[in-house]
Amino acid sequence: MAEQHPRHRAPHRDDFPGEGAARGTARLEAFADAVFAIAFTLPIVEIKVPHGDEPLTAQLAELWPSYLAYAISSLVIGIYWIQHHFSGAIYRTSGHWFNVATVLFLTAIGFIDFPARAFAEHLPDPDGRGPAAIFFVAGLALTGVTWWIKWKVGRSRGHVDARLEPHYVDCLNRRYNVSTVLLIVAAALALIRWEVGLALASAVTLFYLLAPPTPVYTEEAPIVEGEESA
Amino acid sequence: MAEQHPRHRAPHRDDFPGEGAARGTARLEAFADAVFAIAFTLPIVEIKVPHGDEPLTAQLAELWPSYLAYAISSLVIGIYWIQHHFSGAIYRTSGHWFNVATVLFLTAIGFIDFPARAFAEHLPDPDGRGPAAIFFVAGLALTGVTWWIKWKVGRSRGHVDARLEPHYVDCLNRRYNVSTVLLIVAAALALIRWEVGLALASAVTLFYLLAPPTPVYTEEAPIVEGEESA
Amino acid sequence: MAEQHPRHRAPHRDDFPGEGAARGTARLEAFADAVFAIAFTLPIVEIKVPHGDEPLTAQLAELWPSYLAYAISSLVIGIYWIQHHFSGAIYRTSGHWFNVATVLFLTAIGFIDFPARAFAEHLPDPDGRGPAAIFFVAGLALTGVTWWIKWKVGRSRGHVDARLEPHYVDCLNRRYNVSTVLLIVAAALALIRWEVGLALASAVTLFYLLAPPTPVYTEEAPIVEGEESA
Amino acid sequence: MAEQHPRHRAPHRDDFPGEGAARGTARLEAFADAVFAIAFTLPIVEIKVPHGDEPLTAQLAELWPSYLAYAISSLVIGIYWIQHHFSGAIYRTSGHWFNVATVLFLTAIGFIDFPARAFAEHLPDPDGRGPAAIFFVAGLALTGVTWWIKWKVGRSRGHVDARLEPHYVDCLNRRYNVSTVLLIVAAALALIRWEVGLALASAVTLFYLLAPPTPVYTEEAPIVEGEESA
């Protein structure tokens, strides 16, 4: 079969000695996907069915900050999941320190629910709004930094698919560098004027709703996972 | 092997350039399954063990609205999961905008627990029953609309298995169009008479408990996943 | 390759037309595993860190019913997961009604946390102990019945691996029939004397901690998943 | 294909009769990963958005024990996940008693959130600090013991990859023996002086942040999962 599809040649032990037991990315992605899915879905338990004296319609309407918290969490975690899923096609192996960096990133993903909720629930409160926004922007910046660390560890330890065109990998690298700097700037700006910091952090995050650049390979390579053997 | 099973020929990069890193649907399904599983199982934490003065049997019996909320959530999410699992055989690839549409749909799946609980918990309350039912029907309609958006995005961006008979895909398309219109009508009717809206939305949702039409292929194609290479 | 390993011939569309899009069991198992994992892990959120005036050691010790609830849930769900994992080697395909039956079973698995907690938390309470035990035994019986329904649906719809020896499948069938009857008897007995019902239901459940009989095949068949192609 | 890659020969039924339906480790890993992911992410729901009278910044800062609890849980569970993921390359099959041992280990993983939270929340409390630290160290020791039991069961029942060099497996065995003894010693020491017990248990746990020794095989063997067939 190696003769039939030489371009599919899998990396063997000799090609990638790695640290610890280097493995493909399948199970790392599976663990990450599960953490994403839980962080994505958990916030719903924070919304409690109201049983007050007012008409139920009014009580349900008054819960809008909770709905907003759920929507913000879903949006942020959804965007990160989409980028993480995309990067599953960029990395080709995993190793010990890449796992450690991924766990650090997932710690931030699991945490972001809390600043998002703090921000949404304090939005109607003139005194709390500012501090809550700063806290949320700091959470976004922290998450961005852990993503960047994961990228740097993955790249420096040879986990990025070696068949990708170097200029393509450089392009991703520039993107992640610029986004991370902007998120840190946003967190700093938020301390001065929270509206500006929040706007910048939101813009950087929403930018990743756009499709990432299609990977460019130096040689022919399969792009559709799970069908490589057909 | 391509010679042995020409009908299994997998789409390669040239066949499906896609946006971003187009991939098979395996990991997208895995993420979606995890969100479904969490939304399906989480409602149990909303039921608290009673520690009142009444006999425990009576206290446990009085929790029936909570049991009903759990049953409704399980039924609705279970039905959507079954349809989503089925559609895993309909879509053949995923791409950036299809991922975005799936995340939107999953946001609705994660949210539906709350209107289901609001409805069940206010069922014994004559004043709250109506508004809660409207809220629940609106939630069902919203979920239906996001499913429909996912379908439209998946179809228009070429993620549907090209080996399916066009009339079969048209049949699914009609189903989803009609269901979505009926769910929106149900939400509108619920504002006038909640019982009617609720009955219609329930009927549309329960319709999907029936087996979907078996896929019809233009050429021979494997139907059992994970065994294609045997 | 079919020539090299004729015994691995995968069922194709013509062999198993099924309802809806019949598929292998991989994703159904994945969804079920996720529900099991959540139901298994969720009960920990019910245990709250005490902040009372007594010495902390005493307060932590007084939480023993909560620890017991966690242990019981883990044991029951763990046993069912092990059996479900085992049955992943018994079923070979899935289909619409089998999916529906699995969702029904998973609804019971997700629910069992609540009767387990009600039982453990009311164990120190002389008045509540009996009703709580009845509720728990009823929960175990309900879960057993849904497992049995899944088995019957899976078997009657042809999802059981056709390469298994008929007497082996009959042996499993007898086991599940007998267990289900015993669990229903236990629930009935519990209404009369809860200790007896509880003892019987516990014995039936704990029986499944023993290894299931090793599958017997009519022809040579691979038993180790994921390595069939080697 | 067996001729082309004789070293990839998969174990068949005759090679590994096992108890019950012996299977590969894929689904066992998937279930374990899901439990890890949930235990890793759940603690965030324990942090409640403050709505008091103090300035929000002060209220958010006062929540530091909750943030610490989240960080400790993430660290401990993250370290165990990384080791568990690594061991997925060490074990080659699973079987009934190995599944039982894994469920026992996962029960401890799911529980560790609670002692971690109890410790972090009582850290500012001079009276509670000691008992809470003892409870946390006991939790770490218990988790270590269940990991050790899983290893012993897996090894004695032949689930360890037979292609690994015996001295490599012995090296892992020594590691796990020593760690387990040290964790038990730490729990005993904690009863006398909690600071010492806590320091030892933390040191043992943090040791596993280091990369495990790269597996050494007696014959050439693929190390990158999911790419064996290429």
Side-chain angles (χ1 to χ4, degrees), chain A residues 23 27 96 107 117 121-122, chain D residues 33 47 50-51 70 85 209:
Chain A
R23 302 178 64 181
R27 288 241 62 81
H96 182 76
T107 303
R117 208 160 63 228
E121 290 190 11
H122 281 280
Chain D
D33 282 356
I47 314 184
H51 288 279
Y70 180 80
H85 174 71
L209 257 185

Side-chain angles (χ1 to χ4, degrees), chain A residues 137-168:
Chain A
V137 174
L140 287 176
L142 185 79
T143 309
V145 168
T146 60
W147 169 272
W148 180 86
I149 290 172
K150 185 165 86 79
W151 167 251
K152 290 295 175 191
V153 170
R155 197 184 179 194
S156 68
R157 295 202 161 251
H159 298 303
V160 169
D161 192 338
R163 300 166 306 176
L164 285 165
E165 283 278 9
H167 73 82
Y168 178 78

Side-chain angles (χ1 to χ4, degrees), chain B residues 123-142:
Chain B
L123 207 53
D125 153 24
D127 291 336
R129 199 180 291 160
I134 294 169
F135 188 54
F136 177 47
V137 173
L140 288 176
L142 186 79

Side-chain angles (χ1 to χ4, degrees), chain B residues 167-182:
Chain B
H167 73 82
Y168 178 79
V169 179
D170 286 345
C171 159
L172 287 185
N173 190 46
R174 260 193 316 277
R175 276 190 168 219
Y176 299 149
N177 285 344
V178 170
S179 306
T180 309
V181 167
L182 287 178

Side-chain angles (χ1 to χ4, degrees), chain B residues 33 47 50-51 70 85 209, chain C residues 23 27 96 107 117 121-122:
Chain B
D33 281 356
I47 315 185
H51 288 278
Y70 180 79
H85 174 71
L209 258 184
Chain C
R23 304 177 63 181
R27 288 242 64 80
H96 182 75
T107 302
R117 209 159 63 229
E121 291 190 11
H122 280 281

Side-chain angles (χ1 to χ4, degrees), chain D residues 13-26:
Chain D
R13 232 167 9 123
D14 297 334
D15 301 333
F16 184 72
E19 325 89 293
R23 303 178 64 180
T25 58

Side-chain angles (χ1 to χ4, degrees), chain D residues 2-223:
Chain D
E3 284 67 38
Q4 288 175 297
H5 298 287
R7 66 185 184 277
H8 291 182
R9 205 172 59 84
H12 277 180
R13 232 167 9 123
D14 297 334
D15 301 333
F16 184 72
E19 325 89 293
R23 303 178 64 180
T25 58
R27 288 241 64 80
L28 179 62
E29 279 194 76
F31 175 66
D33 282 356
V35 172
F36 273 109
I38 299 155
F40 184 89
T41 320
L42 267 185
I44 200 65
V45 300
E46 302 292 340
I47 314 184
K48 301 297 175 196
V49 175
H51 288 279
D53 293 331
E54 276 182 278
L56 184 60
T57 309
Q59 293 183 68
L60 287 172
E62 275 159 23
L63 286 174
W64 69 263
S66 295
Y67 306 147
L68 182 65
Y70 180 80
I72 292 175
S73 291
S74 295
L75 186 64
V76 172
I77 295 172
I79 287 173
Y80 269 103
W81 178 77
I82 288 169
Q83 292 297 322
H84 190 263
H85 174 71
F86 156 75
S87 77
I90 300 303
Y91 299 114
R92 192 116 191 269
T93 53
S94 70
H96 182 76
W97 295 107
F98 188 61
N99 291 343
V100 171
T102 302
V103 166
L104 181 69
F105 166 65
L106 294 173
T107 302
I109 285 293
F111 188 73
I112 197 73
D113 280 345
F114 179 65
R117 208 160 64 229
F119 170 61
E121 291 191 10
H122 281 280
L123 207 53
D125 153 25
D127 291 336
R129 200 180 292 158
I134 294 169
F135 189 54
F136 178 48
V137 174
L140 286 176
L142 185 79
T143 309
V145 168
T146 60
W147 169 273
W148 181 85
I149 290 172
K150 184 166 87 80
W151 167 251
K152 291 294 176 191
V153 170
R155 197 184 180 196
S156 67
R157 295 203 160 251
H159 298 303
V160 169
D161 192 339
R163 300 166 306 175
L164 285 165
E165 283 278 10
H167 73 81
Y168 178 79
V169 179
D170 287 344
C171 159
L172 286 185
N173 191 45
R174 261 193 315 277
R175 276 190 168 219
Y176 299 150
N177 285 344
V178 171
S179 305
T180 309
V181 168
L182 287 178
L183 284 171
I184 293 169
V185 168
L189 281 177
L191 292 171
I192 305 165
R193 258 189 88 70
W194 67 263
E195 295 92 338
V196 179
L198 181 65
L200 179 55
S202 303
V204 172
T205 305
L206 288 171
F207 169 76
Y208 284 96
L209 257 185
L210 300 178
T214 302
V216 184
Y217 292 88
T218 51
E219 39 177 331
E220 214 178 320
I223 200 168

Side-chain angles (χ1 to χ4, degrees), chain C residues 47 60-72 116-117 119-124:
Chain C
I47 315 184
L60 287 172
E62 275 160 23
L63 287 174
W64 69 263
S66 296
Y67 307 148
L68 182 66
Y70 180 78
I72 292 174
R117 209 159 63 229
F119 170 60
E121 291 190 11
H122 280 281
L123 207 53

